Amino acid sequence: MGFATDCIHAGQEPDPSTGAITIPIFQTSTYVQEGIGKHKGYEYARTHNPTRRALEKNLAALEGGTDAYCYASGMAATNAVLTLVKGGERVVVSDNVYGGTHRLFTKILGRYGVEFAFLEASDAAAFDARAGHFAMLWIETPTNPLMKVCDIRALAETAHSRGAILVVDNTFMSPFFQRPLSLGADIVVHSTTKFLNGHSDSVGGVAVVKDPAHADWLRYVQNAAGAILSPFDAWLVLRGTKTLALRMPKHEENGRQVAEFLRAQAKVRKVYWPGFPDHPGHQVHKRQASGFGSMIAFDLGGLDAAKAMLSRVRLCSLGESLGGIETLISHPATMTHAGYTQPERDALGILDGLVRISVGCEDVADLIADLTSALEAV
Ligand SMILES: Cc1ncc(COP(=O)(O)O)c(C=O)c1O
């Protein structure tokens, strides 16, 4: 089936008891059994829930995986995937990943003997030469917030040459634009909170796999550690993915117009958007993705300028998160990337004047009018 058909139908049969076309919210903690060991495949809702399972099948189809497991947040999905690594092993991470990912790796998982190295990964050959040995390579592409592009196919080869696996956080692109498993990645992670749900009303995460051994382990961890996605959240994300193929082209078209508008403003020093032909990695991104998305970062030159602008936006909502149908605007240094220290942010180029915008699906003229007025405050 085509992608849009899978968005609407994959994993979702009409409910056998009523014919309801929409999968019900199975809001139950347990299932009545006919006798000891005699049941319909459902024993306890941490282990199995039909609404969650429908979403997992839907997301596995959209990413081209063999299976998927949903967790209570993107971070819970990330944490579950990291249990594939043991103490004493090394994980290499592309630099300027989401601040929460950096915090989980350095402040929590590092305490259990896993070594984390954050390396620049946009030059795949240079990365291969200096990455050393590792058990897992974790990347975002484009990265959050500087939109650095990593070559998924080349990095998969680098990982596999070391007997390691490649995990791609595909939150920014969604499977509509980029399907890392088809390029050699082993696992894809999403914060479903973002484009997959798309309506800013649910927090969740998913890990999509292709290797049955990874599926077995992540299913085991989902039940054993228990950070499951609730039935209602699963239902909301299913409702979201139904319109993914409609929303993403609109996000991108609006994103392009906003990126071009920002680039033409004298007060904006630099705009980071992979759709610009002179954006580093533009060609690699074009090869591995079918679009550029609507995540844009831009530098206003200093904290005061960023503060002035962000206090003046009206239609664009100042807030953490991204990927909603509403335009969200944020300040990475104090919000999403506050988990990095100031010297770490300075080294990465996450400057105090940097603003990130997740362009939504409003009328773009209204967004540009709002940004024009907000920039007057700078
Ligand atoms: C790229 C990326 N990955 C993971 C996460 C974490 O997801 P969640 O907030 O659902 O835990 C985020 C959150 O902003 C993100 O931007």
Side-chain angles (χ1 to χ4, degrees):
M1 294 289 179
F3 188 83
T5 307
D6 276 345
C7 283
I8 297 165
H9 292 287
Q12 299 173 79
E13 298 297 329
D15 174 45
S17 61
T18 62
I21 194 160
T22 302
I23 183 101
I25 303 167
F26 283 90
Q27 191 68 37
T28 186
S29 60
T30 193
Y31 307 88
V32 177
Q33 307 191 13
E34 289 157 39
I36 294 175
K38 233 176 132 200
H39 53 74
K40 297 183 169 67
Y42 296 95
E43 293 165 88
Y44 186 56
R46 169 158 39 77
T47 325
H48 297 113
N49 181 281
T51 320
R52 189 175 82 219
R53 196 63 193 134
L55 174 62
E56 290 171 343
K57 287 186 181 159
N58 181 258
L59 296 179
L62 299 188
E63 281 290 0
T66 57
D67 217 333
Y69 294 94
C70 286
Y71 299 86
S73 65
M75 291 320 305
T78 300
N79 193 48
V81 169
L82 263 290
T83 63
L84 286 162
V85 178
K86 300 185 197 72
E89 289 184 326
R90 185 164 175 265
V91 176
V92 175
V93 187
S94 61
D95 65 1
N96 86 90
V97 287
Y98 168 58
T101 303
H102 180 266
R103 178 176 55 202
L104 173 69
F105 291 178
T106 56
K107 302 284 192 318
I108 300 178
L109 300 177
R111 298 171 69 219
Y112 298 92
V114 179
E115 187 195 332
F116 291 95
F118 291 79
L119 297 181
E120 213 288 321
S122 54
D123 179 340
F127 176 86
D128 187 60
R130 66 200 176 88
H133 195 73
F134 55 83
M136 179 185 284
L137 172 55
W138 179 285
I139 65 166
E140 287 176 17
T141 180
T143 60
N144 183 357
L146 294 172
M147 311 306 292
K148 280 196 204 169
V149 175
C150 301
D151 184 332
I152 298 172
R153 199 182 286 283
L155 293 177
E157 277 168 26
T158 291
H160 296 157
S161 72
R162 287 148 167 93
I165 61 169
L166 173 66
V167 185
V168 179
D169 179 337
N170 201 28
T171 300
F172 269 30
M173 284 291 108
S174 91
F176 181 80
F177 288 130
Q178 183 169 272
R179 308 224 302 172
L181 298 179
S182 71
L183 297 164
D186 300 280
I187 298 179
V188 164
V189 166
H190 280 273
S191 166
T192 60
T193 317
K194 312 294 164 26
F195 289 103
L196 291 177
N197 177 54
H199 292 75
S200 309
D201 52 14
S202 160
V203 171
V206 67
V208 188
V209 299
K210 52 187 186 192
D211 180 340
H214 292 156
D216 287 346
W217 179 251
L218 290 176
R219 182 169 55 242
Y220 186 79
V221 171
Q222 188 189 45
N223 178 53
I228 48 164
L229 189 66
S230 80
F232 185 50
D233 285 292
W235 184 86
L236 284 171
V237 182
L238 271 172
R239 185 220 40 192
T241 57
K242 284 194 175 81
T243 57
L244 185 67
L246 298 173
R247 286 183 283 114
M248 294 314 285
K250 177 72 173 161
H251 275 294
E252 178 174 65
E253 179 47 32
N254 281 1
R256 170 181 299 283
Q257 292 198 41
V258 168
E260 283 168 0
F261 161 79
L262 288 168
R263 209 179 209 197
Q265 305 309 304
K267 289 173 180 168
V268 176
R269 298 202 178 173
K270 187 164 179 180
V271 182
Y272 302 83
W273 184 62
F276 289 133
D278 58 355
H279 182 85
H282 172 79
Q283 289 304 334
V284 172
H285 186 86
K286 244 171 104 168
R287 212 168 53 224
Q288 66 189 10
S290 59
F292 303 105
S294 63
M295 295 303 300
I296 303 163
F298 56 99
D299 180 19
L300 289 175
L303 185 58
D304 289 345
K307 270 190 181 161
M309 189 209 169
L310 291 173
S311 64
R312 185 75 89 81
V313 285
R314 293 291 173 266
L315 180 59
C316 304
S317 303
L318 175 63
E320 300 219 9
S321 202
L322 59 106
I325 200 137
E326 314 84 354
T327 296
L328 286 167
I329 196 159
S330 66
H331 183 241
T334 56
M335 295 167 79
T336 49
H337 289 67
Y340 288 91
T341 62
Q342 176 90 46
E344 282 168 340
R345 285 198 302 274
D346 290 347
L348 290 170
I350 304 174
L351 305 172
D352 285 352
L354 198 71
V355 172
R356 191 188 77 181
I357 183 164
S358 164
V359 181
C361 295
E362 298 92 340
D363 288 309
V364 73
D366 293 332
L367 295 174
I368 288 176
D370 191 42
L371 293 169
T372 304
S373 134
L375 281 169
E376 281 164 10
V378 174

